[in-house]
Amino acid sequence: MSTPGARPSDAELAEFRDRVRAHIAEHAPPFDAREGRRAPENPEQEAQLRRWFATLFDAGFVGADWPVEHGGSADHHPLHDRILSEEILRARAPRPVDQVNLAAHVLLHFGSAEQKAELLPPIRRSEHVWCQLLSEPDAGSDIANVRTRGAQQADGSWVIDGQKTWITDGHWADMGLALVRTDPSSSRHHGLSVFVVPLSTAGVEVRPIRTINEAIEVNEVFLDGVTVPAHSLIGEIGQGWSIIMAGLDFERFGIGGNVILLELLIDDLVTVARHATLDAKPAFEHEDIRQKVAELAVEVEVAKAFIDDHVERLVAGSERPGDGSIAKLSFAETYHRVSAYGAELAPMVCTVAADPSVEQAKQRLRECWLWSRAYTVSGGSNEMMRNILAKRRLLLPSR
């Protein structure tokens, strides 16, 4: 990624925020983003999403941290990314696909000049949506246990066989970033390599998985004799573990950077609590309910404070090991607790008396609660995040 420029003044940041708001108002699709239902539900929505993402690249809002020669901005600053994320979330507009950001990050850091020239422009035009072909039935958060195999042929091409599961956006993605075991005698994080796999390649089969809220967000992907050319390999043979770990650290902070979602959840929780009735009196007249809402609001502020602190360390070049894991943990667990409590209060609201804004708040809390467990697993489970922190941050020995 590009080196951050000089820190913008408050006036410059305010002007940037105004430009972002104006762009969202003019170009965002005519439907609200919904948690657990971020993938398009029909061809029209898909076309609208692709146009929307392309406008964000065209305007220099997304991909601004790329090197200038690949479309980035010389005056990019991490605070611009923070503002963009905040405004997209507050407008309830669809946010860019996380897996595309990870793929771009991997290509920019580990891809060859030819791979960058071929694969980065379609990302900016939103012609290529990417997914991560990492998790497997026996290798979920523990991706060092990958069994998908890649065998190199005499002409330099590779034949890949295996099964991937819980693949977010796989059913509408164009490209996949696949972690494959290329040394059959290896184990754990040794002998792994990363490949670019177009999902239109013969032998690739995508089977959608319908989630608890009747949406399709994740998929199974079967790779049966899938042949990819030699230049599909990213980096060196056997470098897969370090490549994916670098990408996942980037993704984990991105998950934590969605902290504004927690503010919106608290707003919805307060709306529901104000209209809920328990024992014939308003819910907020019950001390335990007021206390619980206050505690959750404090948790949200703590998560926000960490993200703010992390951005400042990023700007100063003093980022610490495990920051991405902390951001991911803080966001995922707070998101679950707030949405779960909101879903618990929602049945106390009289549907007949509630106005449309209250009904929308109830629906959002329910959808967030149903989706919340996915955040505790995606990008590495919370248990794995604690293991990473124990090793990288606390420097505890491995057993």
Side-chain angles (χ1 to χ4, degrees), residues 80-90 257-258 260:
H80 292 149
D81 297 334
R82 181 70 187 276
I83 289 171
L84 177 66
S85 177
E86 288 177 352
E87 294 304 321
I88 287 177
L89 290 169
R90 285 182 175 137
N258 289 332
I260 296 302

Side-chain angles (χ1 to χ4, degrees), residues 159-270:
V159 176
I160 301 174
D161 289 278
Q163 178 185 355
K164 300 292 183 175
T165 194
W166 306 121
I167 306 305
T168 304
D169 294 314
H171 60 298
W172 72 293
D174 308 283
M175 310 291 286
L177 199 65
L179 185 63
V180 176
R181 190 165 298 282
T182 48
D183 180 356
S185 65
S186 66
S187 62
R188 302 298 298 161
H189 57 272
H190 302 287
L192 298 171
S193 303
V194 175
F195 293 88
V196 173
V197 178
L199 297 192
S200 60
T201 306
V204 176
E205 180 185 358
V206 180
R207 297 181 188 174
I209 299 172
R210 193 167 292 277
T211 60
I212 193 171
N213 63 346
E214 290 300 310
I216 296 175
E217 287 284 308
V218 293
N219 308 262
E220 291 182 291
V221 178
F222 295 86
L223 305 163
D224 184 10
V226 174
T227 301
V228 295
H231 64 259
S232 295
L233 174 71
I234 296 181
E236 303 294 331
I237 297 175
Q239 194 185 5
W241 178 259
S242 59
I243 291 174
I244 291 301
M245 286 300 101
L248 287 179
D249 278 345
F250 176 79
E251 181 198 30
R252 286 163 187 157
F253 177 70
I255 292 174
N258 289 332
V259 69
I260 296 302
L261 281 172
L262 301 180
E263 284 189 6
L264 299 176
L265 275 177
I266 285 291
D267 289 343
D268 285 338
L269 176 60
V270 170

Side-chain angles (χ1 to χ4, degrees), residues 86-396:
E86 288 177 352
E87 294 304 321
I88 287 177
L89 290 169
R90 285 182 175 137
R92 302 193 186 278
R95 52 195 190 274
V97 178
D98 299 329
Q99 290 72 25
V100 175
N101 293 334
L102 181 141
H105 178 85
V106 165
L107 290 169
L108 287 167
H109 281 80
F110 301 99
S112 65
E114 293 76 13
Q115 286 171 331
K116 293 174 185 177
E118 177 186 355
L119 298 172
L120 292 175
I123 289 178
R124 298 191 73 90
R125 295 191 298 267
S126 204
E127 294 172 2
H128 284 175
V129 169
W130 287 68
C131 64
Q132 301 168 34
L133 299 174
L134 306 182
S135 298
E136 298 184 4
D138 296 315
S141 292
D142 185 13
I143 59 173
N145 199 32
V146 160
R147 295 182 180 178
T148 295
R149 300 299 177 97
Q152 191 166 27
Q153 309 302 294
D155 62 357
S157 65
W158 292 84
V159 176
I160 301 174
D161 289 278
Q163 178 185 355
K164 300 292 183 175
T165 194
W166 306 121
I167 306 305
T168 304
D169 294 314
H171 60 298
W172 72 293
D174 308 283
M175 310 291 286
L177 199 65
L179 185 63
V180 176
R181 190 165 298 282
T182 48
D183 180 356
S185 65
S186 66
S187 62
R188 302 298 298 161
H189 57 272
H190 302 287
L192 298 171
S193 303
V194 175
F195 293 88
V196 173
V197 178
L199 297 192
S200 60
T201 306
V204 176
E205 180 185 358
V206 180
R207 297 181 188 174
I209 299 172
R210 193 167 292 277
T211 60
I212 193 171
N213 63 346
E214 290 300 310
I216 296 175
E217 287 284 308
V218 293
N219 308 262
E220 291 182 291
V221 178
F222 295 86
L223 305 163
D224 184 10
V226 174
T227 301
V228 295
H231 64 259
S232 295
L233 174 71
I234 296 181
E236 303 294 331
I237 297 175
Q239 194 185 5
W241 178 259
S242 59
I243 291 174
I244 291 301
M245 286 300 101
L248 287 179
D249 278 345
F250 176 79
E251 181 198 30
R252 286 163 187 157
F253 177 70
I255 292 174
N258 289 332
V259 69
I260 296 302
L261 281 172
L262 301 180
E263 284 189 6
L264 299 176
L265 275 177
I266 285 291
D267 289 343
D268 285 338
L269 176 60
V270 170
T271 296
V272 168
R274 283 177 175 162
H275 290 79
T277 301
L278 179 63
D279 296 333
K281 64 180 182 179
F284 264 161
E285 291 187 14
H286 294 267
E287 183 177 351
D288 59 332
I289 292 179
R290 290 200 309 274
Q291 179 70 20
K292 183 63 175 180
V293 172
E295 289 174 354
L296 292 171
V298 169
E299 286 191 43
V300 168
E301 291 303 315
V302 169
K304 287 172 52 186
F306 177 82
I307 299 299
D308 289 338
D309 186 52
H310 177 82
V311 170
E312 292 301 325
R313 289 197 304 275
L314 185 66
V315 171
S318 58
E319 188 176 7
R320 294 179 294 187
D323 275 358
S325 294
I326 295 175
K328 196 269 185 185
L329 269 171
S330 180
F331 171 81
E333 296 196 345
T334 305
Y335 180 102
H336 172 70
R337 284 192 286 268
V338 175
S339 60
Y341 192 64
E344 181 182 335
L345 289 183
M348 302 178 190
V349 177
C350 176
T351 303
V352 175
D355 62 41
S357 64
V358 179
E359 288 303 301
Q360 290 172 356
K362 288 172 58 178
Q363 177 181 328
R364 287 192 292 260
L365 286 166
R366 180 180 180 277
E367 289 180 344
C368 289
W369 172 57
L370 291 174
W371 186 243
S372 63
R373 286 305 185 190
Y375 275 126
T376 68
V377 176
S378 63
S381 70
N382 287 2
E383 291 76 15
M384 293 297 294
M385 295 302 99
R386 291 184 172 88
N387 286 341
I388 290 172
L389 287 171
K391 294 177 182 178
R392 297 187 188 178
R393 190 68 160 248
L394 301 178
L395 303 180
L396 297 178

Side-chain angles (χ1 to χ4, degrees), residues 56-74:
L56 291 173
F57 277 108
D58 288 342
F61 295 136
V62 173
D65 59 337
W66 294 16
V68 173
E69 63 269 26
H70 294 296
S73 301

